[in-house]
Amino acid sequence: MEVAGIKRNSVTYAVSITGCSRCGEPERGLEMFEQMLERGVEPDVVVYNAAISCCVQLRDSERAKTLLREMRINGLAPTVVSYGTVIAACEKSGDWEAALSLLNEMLKQRKVRPNAIVYSSAISACGSAGEWRRALDLLDEMISLGISPNTITYNAAIQACERSGVWREAVRLFESMGAAGVERDAISYNCVVRACERGGQFELAYDYMRASSAYATAKGYADDFGEAEGYTAADE
């Protein structure tokens, strides 16, 4: 296929597949990936990563894992982006065990080191499955490895606790964000408020709601603050 006299190659396919993913047409992106293979154009790591991103939108962790295997078969070395994107697909599809397996695979390799984004996705995957203890273990693990958790990471951990009804842990994590110098955002406040409400700690929930209002006023978006909801790390 040629466009304006330019023959398709791995670069043009990567751009096209990424464009499909960003425009909300992941199925079309995967169709282009298959077209690329049929036309004998060899995909590189960037193309595979773009195709895996389409799987994230489709919540298709099996296809994402298959693409990761194909990369290795074709002699390509998966990058942190490759692993992170597959873990994000596992998070979206609720495949938390596969997310942890991939993370452990990364840790066994010295060439590919997980980062805060990867850990955030894995924590969120565990939280969505009700595995809040595993989520907190991952938070401790990344800190022990010298990987600094960010706002998204803490939010994923707090949300894991909120979903499982362990309000004390949610509060502990929320408070530890300040001690660690990690900025709280609207999601942080909303998650800890919901955790306290679910735990029957209504006075504490009210205190955090008041604090959230002060925070929102300081940030200048008080009108929109109450609209913030929970999220998954892959949404970032």
Side-chain angles (χ1 to χ4, degrees):
M1 178 179 178
E2 295 185 1
V3 178
I6 301 176
K7 187 176 181 179
R8 289 272 186 165
N9 55 31
S10 61
V11 175
T12 56
Y13 269 109
V15 171
S16 299
I17 295 170
T18 300
C20 289
S21 177
R22 291 178 177 175
C23 292
E25 297 186 29
E27 297 94 342
R28 176 57 180 158
L30 291 178
E31 288 174 3
M32 295 190 71
F33 178 78
E34 293 300 328
Q35 178 191 90
M36 176 183 186
L37 299 179
E38 292 172 359
R39 294 179 180 273
V41 181
E42 293 187 6
D44 56 16
V45 173
V46 177
V47 172
Y48 270 107
N49 289 347
I52 294 170
S53 293
C54 292
C55 297
V56 175
Q57 290 193 32
L58 294 171
R59 300 175 182 269
D60 190 349
S61 61
E62 291 303 319
R63 180 70 182 277
K65 288 184 288 186
T66 296
L67 289 172
L68 187 67
R69 287 193 294 269
E70 288 179 3
M71 289 179 68
R72 299 193 192 95
I73 293 172
N74 292 330
L76 298 173
T79 64
V80 64
V81 174
S82 309
Y83 277 103
T85 310
V86 178
I87 290 174
C90 293
E91 172 200 346
K92 288 288 190 180
S93 64
D95 195 356
W96 67 275
E97 292 176 312
L100 291 188
S101 177
L102 288 165
L103 178 59
N104 289 331
E105 185 177 309
M106 293 182 73
L107 292 171
K108 291 177 182 178
Q109 302 181 37
R110 295 186 177 181
K111 293 183 179 180
V112 185
R113 176 182 170 84
N115 55 24
I117 297 174
V118 172
Y119 267 101
S120 296
S121 292
I123 290 171
S124 185
C126 291
S128 297
E131 297 287 335
W132 66 273
R133 287 188 178 85
R134 291 180 185 270
L136 299 195
D137 285 345
L138 289 176
L139 181 62
D140 291 338
E141 178 181 279
M142 68 182 292
I143 293 173
S144 70
L145 292 174
I147 304 171
S148 300
N150 55 28
T151 301
I152 297 170
T153 314
Y154 272 105
N155 286 350
I158 294 171
Q159 192 172 56
C161 295
E162 178 260 317
R163 286 173 169 168
S164 295
V166 283
W167 66 271
R168 287 187 177 85
E169 288 297 328
V171 169
R172 181 184 67 81
L173 289 169
F174 181 85
E175 296 299 336
S176 68
M177 290 179 74
V182 179
E183 183 178 2
R184 299 161 179 142
D185 63 9
I187 295 172
S188 313
Y189 280 99
N190 279 329
C191 284
V192 75
V193 167
R194 288 198 300 268
C196 291
E197 289 175 340
R198 292 188 63 177
Q201 305 301 309
F202 300 111
E203 290 186 9
L204 188 56
Y206 179 68
D207 288 340
Y208 280 122
M209 286 181 66
R210 289 174 54 189
S212 72
S213 296
Y215 168 85
T217 300
K219 289 293 185 180
Y221 49 80
D223 291 341
D224 298 328
F225 192 87
E227 299 300 322
E229 294 293 341
Y231 76 114
T232 59
D235 293 329
E236 298 295 326

